[in-house]
Amino acid sequence: MQRAAALVRRGCCPRPPGPWGRSQSSAAAEASAVLKVRPERSRRERILTLESMNPQVKAVEYAVRGPIVLKAGEIELELQRGIKKPFTEVIRANIGDAQAMGQQPITFLRQVMALCTYPNLLDSPSFPEDAKKRARRILQACGGNSLGSYSASQGVNCIREDVAAYITRRDGGVPADPDNIYLTTGASDGISTILKILVSGGGKTRTGVMIPIPQYPLYSAVISELDAIQVNYYLDEDNCWALNVNELRRALREAKEHCDPKVLCIINPGNPTGQVQNRKCIEDVIHFAWEEKLFLLADEVYQDNVYSPDCKFQSFKKVLYEMGPEYSSNVELASFHSTSKGYMGECGYRGGYMEVINLHPEIKGQLVKLLSVRLCPPVSGQAAMDIVVNPPVPGEESFEQFSREKESVLGNLAKKAKLTEDLFNQVPGIHCNPLQGAMYAFPRIFIPAKALEAAQAHKMAPDMFYCMKLLEETGICVVPGSGFGQKEGTHHFRMTILPPVEKLKTVLQKVKDFHIKFLEKYA
């Protein structure tokens, strides 16, 4: 048909008869007649539309990479095209991506990764022997001695052994079994997988998942995707975002009227709120989970990020075991860690693990089956996780440099946490709780009545309106508190403390100047 149409277009030039006795011009005429009889079909309706797509996927929202970030990308393109703005760059303070904000990688980690990726370097004198030793161990456990091979679905066995040894050291001798360790594609993959296997039922028996408000939006997104029921419990902002068991009881009691609450999620240290739970709080939560027969999820990816001298990270696993066998033998607990946070900041490797204890043996088989569908987590991410849990020790060649770099990163983060808290609290209309841990500030902002009206006119949440104006006038990209959840009538934003100190000071000063002008404009 296409050839016939082409002949029609060229038909003014008669050609000699073809082998069947017809001229090409007459063939073109016939083709033209066929085209008139068979007009081009109109485009059929799309199979996949907003109306026909999976409604659970459509319900998913992820504020950390939501509308405000899309707008930031548009502004960056405009700056590249030479469009004038009141600023010269967009500062992406919306996400905890340490190395994107200038944090340098830990040398030892990158040395081992280089050796694993290109084993010919194992003969190079430029690499320390302790890095080579770890790389050889990892490679020997990989199929074909290559990081490019698949691993077992649960992860490379020797890396799971190293994770178990790390947990035992971290928790003061509380034993960890490698068979309870599952290597994951970042902590997010583990959290999604466990929730997937927990959610069941329908109507009033549909699984309810208790999450803190404010929360990390991964939780609400996965709950929406799985069509589970989100059960909010509110952290106490007036008490440094503390978790109150009476609030857990209220949330559970109300949820039982319309769903079956089975899961309790804890983020410690908190994201976006930065609080670090004390031992009494952890004990109360474990007792509550035991009493109410709830499956505990402990998101502990910021366990290395504790800055307040009055705070100390204690894992839920450690406290659970120290509460005695009545708890340690019965409470089902999944805890999560990652290469992305801490002092490492290796977000792109997507390395992580989960430890799941007191899981029914038959459910363990189902979990491995579910994990096998995605074959295995990235083996490079598994290797990166191994280096995090098996760092240089005293007496090894790389120990001093590793310790110096680690302490430098964490020390700088502690200084920036204090700087951010202090500067925000000097601004009229902004209040920031102490940043005890993690990587973010979550200040409360006062938004005047006229600004609330303007936000409503733009069909935006008030803090989205505020953050959009901040982006458009200063180039600073933060995430509105409404994306994390907050008490009715309160407004916040989340901002990372990761930029270098001088840039962070600039960011904070710009936020201060903007906020004062905002209050004046909408007074």
Side-chain angles (χ1 to χ4, degrees), residues 130-255:
D130 48 359
K132 292 178 180 179
K133 176 183 175 184
R134 283 162 177 77
R136 288 190 184 100
R137 182 168 183 267
I138 292 169
L139 289 172
Q140 285 167 7
C142 294
N145 293 326
S146 172
L147 220 57
S149 59
Y150 287 129
S151 75
S153 298
Q154 200 169 337
V156 175
N157 189 57
C158 76
I159 298 176
R160 291 191 292 116
E161 290 172 355
D162 287 346
V163 170
Y166 161 80
I167 292 171
T168 301
R169 290 195 308 274
R170 180 198 68 188
D171 292 344
V174 173
D177 184 348
D179 199 39
N180 292 334
I181 306 298
Y182 303 80
L183 300 178
T184 56
T185 308
S188 301
D189 172 48
I191 293 165
S192 301
T193 300
I194 286 292
L195 285 174
K196 193 178 290 185
I197 211 166
L198 277 162
V199 171
S200 64
K204 287 191 173 182
T205 67
R206 191 63 175 165
T207 298
V209 182
M210 301 180 69
I211 64 171
I213 298 295
Q215 52 108 16
Y216 176 49
L218 165 74
Y219 291 92
S220 55
V222 174
I223 289 166
S224 292
E225 184 182 355
L226 297 175
D227 199 22
I229 306 299
Q230 180 173 318
V231 179
N232 296 340
Y233 66 88
Y234 290 87
L235 302 176
D236 185 358
E237 183 172 12
D238 294 332
N239 190 22
C240 202
W241 299 111
L243 194 166
N244 189 309
V245 172
N246 290 331
E247 170 60 12
L248 291 179
R249 296 191 192 285
R250 177 209 61 79
L252 183 73
R253 183 177 63 252
E254 293 179 6

Side-chain angles (χ1 to χ4, degrees), residues 189-478:
D189 172 48
I191 293 165
S192 301
T193 300
I194 286 292
L195 285 174
K196 193 178 290 185
I197 211 166
L198 277 162
V199 171
S200 64
K204 287 191 173 182
T205 67
R206 191 63 175 165
T207 298
V209 182
M210 301 180 69
I211 64 171
I213 298 295
Q215 52 108 16
Y216 176 49
L218 165 74
Y219 291 92
S220 55
V222 174
I223 289 166
S224 292
E225 184 182 355
L226 297 175
D227 199 22
I229 306 299
Q230 180 173 318
V231 179
N232 296 340
Y233 66 88
Y234 290 87
L235 302 176
D236 185 358
E237 183 172 12
D238 294 332
N239 190 22
C240 202
W241 299 111
L243 194 166
N244 189 309
V245 172
N246 290 331
E247 170 60 12
L248 291 179
R249 296 191 192 285
R250 177 209 61 79
L252 183 73
R253 183 177 63 252
E254 293 179 6
K256 283 182 175 178
E257 295 176 7
H258 60 272
C259 70
D260 178 21
K262 290 198 300 191
V263 188
L264 173 57
C265 301
I266 309 291
I267 309 174
N268 180 47
N271 175 10
T273 45
Q275 86 285 2
V276 179
Q277 293 177 10
N278 60 39
R279 185 182 177 96
K280 174 68 165 58
C281 176
I282 296 173
E283 288 178 351
D284 289 346
V285 169
I286 290 171
H287 178 75
F288 175 76
W290 172 81
E291 186 178 52
E292 299 292 346
K293 297 181 179 178
L294 297 171
F295 195 112
L296 261 178
L297 268 58
D299 182 340
E300 298 175 336
V301 301
Y302 296 99
Q303 59 189 257
D304 288 306
N305 300 106
V306 177
Y307 313 126
S308 172
D310 301 325
C311 297
K312 178 185 177 184
F313 171 77
Q314 298 184 74
S315 75
F316 268 75
K317 160 86 176 292
K318 179 178 189 289
V319 176
L320 176 66
Y321 268 76
E322 290 175 351
M323 288 175 70
E326 189 173 11
Y327 295 94
S328 62
S329 300
N330 292 295
V331 175
E332 292 153 281
L333 168 68
S335 52
F336 309 90
H337 195 19
S338 164
T339 62
S340 302
K341 310 304 177 185
Y343 59 90
M344 307 79 68
E346 294 286 2
C347 302
Y349 278 118
R350 308 306 300 132
Y353 74 74
M354 61 179 174
E355 181 187 24
V356 190
I357 60 173
N358 292 324
L359 202 60
H360 191 288
E362 291 178 357
I363 295 299
K364 185 178 278 192
Q366 294 295 318
L367 176 57
V368 172
K369 177 186 74 175
L370 183 60
L371 291 171
S372 70
V373 173
R374 54 94 159 111
L375 297 178
C376 68
V379 180
S380 56
Q382 296 184 50
M385 192 75 248
D386 186 75
I387 306 158
V388 172
V389 299
N390 185 24
V393 296
E396 287 190 307
E397 184 178 349
S398 301
F399 177 72
E400 286 188 14
Q401 182 182 5
F402 169 80
S403 299
R404 190 167 59 249
E405 291 177 354
K406 176 182 176 180
E407 289 166 13
S408 174
V409 170
L410 295 176
N412 277 332
L413 284 169
K415 288 175 188 173
K416 291 188 282 190
K418 186 67 175 136
L419 172 70
T420 303
E421 176 195 336
D422 290 345
L423 289 182
F424 272 148
N425 285 328
Q426 293 171 16
V427 183
I430 295 183
H431 173 72
C432 185
N433 272 326
L435 277 60
Q436 297 174 337
M439 296 179 170
Y440 315 98
F442 196 68
R444 183 170 176 173
I445 50 176
F446 171 71
I447 297 181
K450 285 187 178 179
L452 297 177
E453 292 170 7
Q456 190 173 20
H458 284 81
K459 296 182 180 178
M460 289 184 182
D463 46 16
M464 171 64 86
F465 178 75
Y466 178 96
C467 292
M468 197 64 79
K469 291 292 183 186
L470 175 67
L471 174 63
E472 291 170 348
E473 295 181 26
T474 69
I476 296 168
C477 180
V478 297

